[in-house]
Amino acid sequence: MSDCNCADFPFSPHKPCYDVCTGRILNYASPDELRSIFHIPEDIMDKIIGLKLENRVETLEEYTNELDPGQSLTLRSIFSSLNNNAEALKWLKENMKTRADAFA
């Protein structure tokens, strides 16, 4: 879905870009960035790292399908409140375009 602007939150158009862009964050950000900027808990990080290594998932929906219900809810909550995370919004602006190009 190349016509999603993942550098600006809220992602537009919301459907399907929210799912696509949040998946891209999980794919493009380093484990350290996911922990320190997006505040993803360690137990979820372990699963995310494994899924990234297997190269099996691309969207938030695909990631959450691999998590237990509590982890899925936590991850969805983190991304639904990105507008309250200034550091994450800055990361999006600085990284999503260049990393998307690198992964293309």
Side-chain angles (χ1 to χ4, degrees):
M1 181 116 254
S2 59
D3 41 339
C4 290
N5 178 4
C6 297
D8 294 316
F9 187 82
F11 307 120
S12 181
H14 185 75
K15 296 263 184 194
C17 290
Y18 178 81
D19 196 42
V20 169
C21 292
T22 50
R24 287 180 183 170
I25 292 168
L26 294 170
N27 287 330
Y28 299 167
S30 71
D32 287 340
E33 290 169 327
L34 291 172
R35 285 183 194 97
S36 64
I37 296 171
F38 295 94
H39 311 292
I40 296 178
E42 199 62 39
D43 63 321
I44 298 174
M45 278 303 308
D46 291 342
K47 288 190 178 179
I48 288 172
I49 290 168
L51 292 168
K52 286 171 75 166
L53 289 172
E54 295 171 13
N55 207 25
R56 291 186 325 161
V57 294
E58 293 185 9
T59 66
L60 179 63
E61 185 69 28
E62 291 170 342
Y63 273 101
T64 57
N65 286 341
E66 299 291 330
L67 301 172
D68 70 40
Q71 292 172 324
S72 177
L73 183 63
T74 297
L75 194 59
R76 288 182 182 283
S77 175
I78 287 168
F79 286 120
S80 68
S81 61
L82 278 180
N83 57 329
N84 297 321
N85 183 340
E87 193 175 5
L89 295 176
K90 180 181 176 193
W91 185 93
L92 291 173
K93 287 203 179 300
E94 292 175 352
N95 293 283
M96 286 305 281
K97 174 75 173 115
T98 56
R99 293 190 191 195
D101 290 344
F103 280 81

